[in-house]
Structures are given as C-alpha cells and as structure tokens.
Amino acid sequence: MSDRRPYIAGNWKMHKTGREAEDFLWALLPQISGEDHAEVVICAPFTALVNLIDGSRGSRVKVAAQNMHQAEAGAFTGEVSAGMLSELDVRAVVLGHSERRQYFNETDAALAEKLPAALAAGIEPIFCVGETEAEREAGQMQDVLRRQVTEGLAGVPAGQLPAIVVAYEPVWAIGTGKVATTEQAQEAIAFIRELIAGIDAAAAPQVRILYGGSVKPDNAAELLSQPDIDGALIGGASLDPGDFAALVAAGDAA
Ligand code: PGA
C-alpha cells in the first residue's frame, strides 16, 4: 500500500470544442462533487482550456494541456510555451504521448528539455512512456522503457522527480480495446519505479505512475488495486461524462 494520491486523468486528444467542453463540465461536476480522494485532471485541446478553467473554478477538476514547446519564446510557428499555459492557470501538461512520438516526431531529447521547462513554470508534467507491440514481441520492452525514462528525465533538476506524474501506456493498448492485463501493467510500472529509483531512490516511492490504454469503468478498479498503479490516463472513456465520473469514483475508492 502507498499513500500516493490516486490520479485520474482524461486525455481528450483532438476532441471537443470549447463549447462542448463547457457542456461536459456541466454534466460531470454534479456527479463528482462528493468524496474527493482522487485528483481529477482533464487534458484538453488548447482551444478548450479557457472554457474548462473558467467552468471548473472551485471544483476538484485540474486542467491540463496535451503538449508544449520547450523554449520560453521564439520562432516556432504553431507552438505554445509553458509560460503561455501557466498564465491561463493550466496546471499540468501531457508530454511524450505516444501519438506525439509517432506522428509528430517527439523525441527523448526534446522531452529532456520539456520536462524541466514545465516544472520551472509550475506546471506538472504527465510524462508518457510505453513500448509498441513489435517492441514487446521482440523482448525489448525493458530496453525501450529504460531509454524513454532515463533520457526523458535526464534534465529534471535534483529533488524535483516527485513533482512529475509518469504514465505507462503500452502503444498496443491505446484505443484498441486491448487492455494490458493487470499483471502486465503492474510489472511494467514496477519496472519504471525501479528505473526512477536508480536516478533518485528517495523520490521513487513518491512518484505517481499511471496506467493508460483502453481503461474503462469496468476494468479500472482492478488496475487501480495494484500496488504500483497510482491512477489512469484515459482516452476514449474520458469523453463521456458518465463514464469519466465512474472512473473518478474508482479513483476515490482506490
Ligand atoms: P485510450 O487512450 O484510453 O482511448 O486507449 C489512452 C491514451 O492514449 O492516453
């Protein structure tokens, strides 16, 4: 057992306009107002952030972005900096999601700069790692995780690891309905915790590590019951307020 606070994060990806985000909150907030053991986070498109921040003030919802650039400012057309997000009251940011690694060339080297940039701006990084199906089948899961974790965390200043949330998302389980077994998820996440202990032994028991990949209301409780799984990063099921409320309830009960 641990005293790490459960963390339930919805990753909307490229779904919902600002107006749709307001409608979502209107449906969600009455369903999650009770027990507040778990932290509740919504990772939204840039264009819905202000709607979510205004609509969730005074509630338990924390608003997150899904990407940011590592530089403070500069000639980077189409990018957004940590300072721009923190000015809006964005409190967390997804970094290194497999879709960004796969489709937008996100590299471990860029992540090594993005994590400290987010921390310096007071934004909590939700740092994603995970192997593809081919890598798992080739027996490379541990090598891939070792590389992603050690290179991605390389720029984090000493003592700041506990401020980071890590998400283990096996690429083969994202959006496929193929959830990793609880044993597979626990094993990979325990391995990630060992890797973090190799960097800072005192920090490792404090870092929250989430599982992501086809998490639904009916499999969340079992995943969250595992000793090293501290929460979930949820794509598809986070788009529906009823399903997301059920996932928050699973986090509150964990
Ligand atoms: P999924 O997505 O829950 O739809 O599988 C998870 C994620 O990509 O964060």
Side-chain angles (χ1 to χ4, degrees):
M1 293 309 291
S2 83
D3 52 9
R4 295 182 295 269
R5 190 172 172 207
Y7 195 99
I8 302 295
N11 174 18
W12 283 356
K13 311 192 178 184
M14 198 173 72
H15 292 285
K16 297 195 194 289
T17 64
R19 178 70 194 279
E20 288 165 346
E22 289 173 16
D23 291 346
F24 178 93
L25 276 182
W26 198 77
L28 175 76
L29 293 181
Q31 300 185 60
I32 62 163
S33 55
E35 166 93 42
D36 68 349
H37 179 50
E39 252 186 274
V40 181
V41 183
I42 299 177
C43 311
F46 291 127
T47 48
L49 292 172
V50 169
N51 306 70
L52 278 177
I53 288 160
D54 287 346
S56 65
R57 262 185 233 289
S59 81
R60 56 190 290 205
V61 171
K62 173 157 139 180
V63 179
Q66 299 174 3
N67 181 38
M68 51 158 252
H69 195 273
Q70 57 272 38
E72 270 174 41
F76 301 109
T77 301
E79 292 291 319
V80 166
S81 72
M84 293 169 186
L85 294 174
S86 70
E87 188 191 57
L88 298 181
D89 273 347
V90 169
R91 293 172 49 212
V93 63
V94 178
L95 294 175
H97 190 278
S98 62
E99 286 151 15
R100 295 216 61 86
R101 293 179 189 261
Q102 190 180 346
Y103 306 132
F104 302 102
N105 261 329
E106 181 87 291
T107 62
D108 294 317
L111 289 164
E113 296 182 26
K114 288 186 179 197
L115 276 111
L119 289 167
I123 298 178
E124 176 177 75
I126 304 171
F127 169 51
C128 303
V129 297
E131 81 287 359
T132 63
E133 187 154 36
E135 288 164 343
R136 178 172 274 262
E137 279 169 5
Q140 295 165 353
M141 179 191 82
Q142 294 200 345
D143 291 343
V144 171
L145 293 179
R146 183 177 295 108
R147 190 200 75 228
Q148 290 178 341
V149 169
T150 51
E151 293 186 17
L153 295 179
V156 175
Q160 290 199 31
L161 280 175
I164 290 172
V165 173
V166 179
Y168 168 63
E169 299 205 302
V171 178
W172 46 273
I174 294 179
T176 57
K178 275 202 229 173
V179 62
T181 65
T182 357
E183 293 73 27
Q184 286 171 325
Q186 163 59 30
E187 189 197 325
I189 288 175
F191 178 67
I192 291 168
R193 200 175 299 287
E194 274 173 40
L195 292 172
I196 295 172
I199 305 169
D200 180 344
Q206 299 173 54
V207 175
R208 285 174 297 174
I209 311 183
L210 320 179
Y211 168 77
S214 299
V215 177
K216 306 282 180 239
D218 63 2
N219 60 23
E222 197 190 326
L223 287 159
L224 295 176
S225 72
Q226 296 301 301
D228 281 289
I229 305 183
D230 303 318
L233 182 58
I234 305 134
S238 73
L239 295 171
D240 177 80
D243 283 351
F244 192 58
L247 290 156
V248 171
D252 284 337

